[in-house]
Amino acid sequence: MTNPAALPAAAPDDFTQLLNGYAESSAMPPAGTCEQAPPAAEERIAAKRTLYEEYLKAEGYRYTVDEDGDLSLRREGRWLVLFASDDDAQHFRLSFPAFWECESEAETYLALDLVNQMNRGYKVVRFVLVDGWVWSSVEMYLEPLSAFRGTFDRCADLLCEATADFRRRMRRGTAETSSPSPEPAEQQEVLCDDCAEDDAKEKGPHGTP
């Protein structure tokens, strides 16, 4: 039987090196089985922009690319923004940016109330108030993202229609809030009239036929 003391002093070091080397090599997966790393954010953004541009060119849209890489396109005489700078490969967003400015506190409250009404009344389209400006957008997750081709026209039409509806309602609302109130004498006459209720119905809410 070999005396352990008689083994060369380098033997333990060689064994340790061999053991460590085996451990390191065994931690590596077999060749050809490595999972492909997901594309970097820049690659996802570039792929999304290319997908959108190919579609817009094929459909004959006029568009420009802004400094962020988002696409501005003409639809029914209006400029819409197709966001391509988002690296979420499944996120689709088409917006009508800053189409209504609130110029007073009263107008801001009126817009907020209408935003809530529109969000309850419309599918897919969402309105938001950002720094005094109202935006409208169509947003959804799609897998694959290329499925947007089948709904793009419908989304764009709905976005333009809902935005036009918002504008009409805001103009009507601001016109009503800016209408002059009845004079105190007129109010007193109505209150003293035995037929005040009928008179009010005939005149309407602002004292006019």
Side-chain angles (χ1 to χ4, degrees), residues 45 49 65-70 84-85:
I45 292 173
R49 186 178 304 118
V65 183
D66 65 19
E67 58 184 9
D68 296 324
D70 299 316
S85 58

Side-chain angles (χ1 to χ4, degrees), residues 11-68:
D13 294 335
D14 292 341
F15 179 78
T16 301
Q17 292 176 8
L18 176 63
L19 181 62
N20 289 341
Y22 175 79
E24 292 173 1
S25 62
S26 64
M28 298 293 293
T33 62
C34 293
E35 294 185 2
Q36 185 176 3
E42 293 79 5
E43 295 176 7
R44 294 195 296 272
I45 292 173
K48 176 181 284 191
R49 186 178 304 118
T50 298
L51 178 67
Y52 288 161
E53 289 197 68
E54 288 176 350
Y55 173 82
L56 295 177
K57 289 176 181 177
E59 296 298 318
Y61 280 97
R62 294 173 51 197
Y63 71 92
T64 59
V65 183
D66 65 19
E67 58 184 9
D68 296 324

Side-chain angles (χ1 to χ4, degrees), residues 145-163:
L145 183 62
S146 58
F148 84 92
R149 298 187 185 100
T151 60
F152 184 86
D153 284 337
R154 183 177 181 182
C155 289
D157 287 342
L158 178 60
L159 186 59
C160 291
E161 175 190 334
T163 301

Side-chain angles (χ1 to χ4, degrees), residues 7-202:
L7 292 174
D13 294 335
D14 292 341
F15 179 78
T16 301
Q17 292 176 8
L18 176 63
L19 181 62
N20 289 341
Y22 175 79
E24 292 173 1
S25 62
S26 64
M28 298 293 293
T33 62
C34 293
E35 294 185 2
Q36 185 176 3
E42 293 79 5
E43 295 176 7
R44 294 195 296 272
I45 292 173
K48 176 181 284 191
R49 186 178 304 118
T50 298
L51 178 67
Y52 288 161
E53 289 197 68
E54 288 176 350
Y55 173 82
L56 295 177
K57 289 176 181 177
E59 296 298 318
Y61 280 97
R62 294 173 51 197
Y63 71 92
T64 59
V65 183
D66 65 19
E67 58 184 9
D68 296 324
D70 299 316
L71 311 177
S72 297
L73 59 114
R74 296 281 289 180
R75 178 80 178 194
E76 298 180 2
R78 303 173 176 88
W79 283 105
L80 307 181
V81 176
L82 184 56
F83 285 89
S85 58
D86 179 6
D87 67 345
D88 189 330
Q90 298 177 339
H91 185 225
F92 172 84
R93 182 186 178 194
L94 180 66
S95 294
F96 200 139
F99 67 85
W100 186 278
E101 182 182 12
C102 298
E103 299 179 341
S104 67
E105 185 176 359
E107 189 174 356
T108 299
Y109 283 121
L110 184 64
L112 282 173
D113 182 61
L114 185 53
V115 162
N116 290 332
Q117 295 180 39
M118 300 293 284
N119 287 340
R120 290 195 304 268
Y122 276 90
K123 298 177 181 178
V124 183
V125 179
R126 288 296 172 263
F127 292 83
V128 294
L129 184 61
V130 182
D131 296 330
W133 290 89
V134 181
W135 290 53
S136 59
S137 298
V138 169
E139 292 190 66
M140 63 187 76
Y141 287 109
L142 296 170
E143 178 57 40
L145 183 62
S146 58
F148 84 92
R149 298 187 185 100
T151 60
F152 184 86
D153 284 337
R154 183 177 181 182
C155 289
D157 287 342
L158 178 60
L159 186 59
C160 291
E161 175 190 334
T163 301
D165 187 19
F166 185 98
R167 282 173 162 165
R168 284 193 297 269
R169 296 192 191 189
M170 278 298 295
R171 291 191 185 102
R172 186 165 61 244
T174 53
E176 290 176 354
T177 56
S178 61
S179 297
S181 300
E183 294 298 327
E186 294 178 354
Q187 295 181 20
Q188 184 66 27
E189 179 183 351
V190 171
L191 289 174
C192 295
D193 195 339
D194 293 335
C195 301
E197 184 176 356
D198 293 337
D199 185 57
K201 289 180 181 178
E202 291 178 1

